[in-house]
Amino acid sequence: MSFMVPLALFGWPLIAISLFLILSPRRAVIASYVGGWLFLPITAGYEILGLPDYTKVVASIIGVVIGILLFDAKRFLSFRVQWIDASVIIFCLWGATSSITTGKGAWDAFSTILENSILWGFPYVVGRIYFKDLESFRDLALGIVIGGLIYVPLCLVEIRVSPQLHIWIYGYHQHQFEQSIRFGGFRPTVFMQHGLAVAMWMVNSSVLAIWMQANGTLRRFPGLLITGVSITLL
């Protein structure tokens, strides 16, 4: 594991906060989450007493939450719990029942609630605040498509030379190498946990690009031929 792991994980919140200085809050949220998910090291983490391990997921969330509080606090404070939020609230609280019924105690129950809230509750609240109309969905879809385009050359490299980018940058391979060998070539892993995660991201990007091309959304896509985006991703 190289020095790039702590540099990336602990530096990402600063990058995320900086994005709020140059983008609208909604687009800063998209760029922060997409960038963190695509490029931060996977499986690496740092233990924090009483808190969830500090991983790529937590690093992405911290930067977004701080950025919102600094630059768009009114929107954050305007959030009101509604009946549609019940399932997420139950999900965040339900793990505590296991801690209590198995005799692990109140502290373990509190830690479970806190972990679920940070890993799942906070992103859900951010989604509820920023993505609730067609314009915001368009921005989110476009962010995923751009992320897919950025991943295209990285995938092509790893298809040819095998999954090596995570090793080159972070000093270790994030999964069993044998699962990357496919049909005389290699299945790319890039900076995700598994080749299946990369495949799912690229499929989502492709479907979104084709859909956005069909309904005319990609006509605004800067500097690229509309059809070229869909074909490249596909």
Side-chain angles (χ1 to χ4, degrees), residues 69-147:
L69 293 177
L70 289 177
F71 300 100
D72 202 22
K74 288 184 179 179
R75 186 188 295 263
F76 192 79
L77 296 174
S78 69
F79 174 76
R80 297 293 182 270
V81 177
Q82 300 180 17
W83 66 268
I84 59 173
D85 306 318
S87 59
V88 174
I89 294 173
I90 293 172
F91 177 82
C92 291
L93 297 176
W94 193 254
T97 60
S98 177
S99 300
I100 295 173
T101 56
T102 56
K104 293 183 178 180
W107 177 252
D108 188 80
F110 171 76
S111 298
T112 301
I113 293 173
L114 182 61
E115 180 174 7
N116 287 340
S117 298
I118 291 175
L119 297 183
W120 299 99
F122 283 7
Y124 174 83
V125 171
V126 171
R128 280 271 279 106
I129 292 172
Y130 285 104
F131 307 105
K132 52 187 179 180
D133 55 39
L134 289 177
E135 182 181 358
S136 61
F137 293 153
R138 184 195 72 86
D139 284 351
L140 180 58
L142 190 57
I144 295 173
V145 169
I146 292 173

Side-chain angles (χ1 to χ4, degrees), residues 17 26 97 151 170 198 211 220 228:
I17 294 169
R26 184 170 66 214
T97 60
Y151 248 39
Y170 296 119
V198 177
W211 169 67
R220 301 180 183 179

Side-chain angles (χ1 to χ4, degrees), residues 40-54:
L40 289 180
I42 194 71
T43 69
Y46 295 89
E47 293 184 2
I48 302 176
L49 183 63
L51 294 173
D53 291 350
Y54 186 81

Side-chain angles (χ1 to χ4, degrees), residues 45-65:
Y46 295 89
E47 293 184 2
I48 302 176
L49 183 63
L51 294 173
D53 291 350
Y54 186 81
T55 61
K56 67 182 295 180
V57 178
V58 177
S60 300
I61 294 169
I62 288 176
V64 168
V65 171

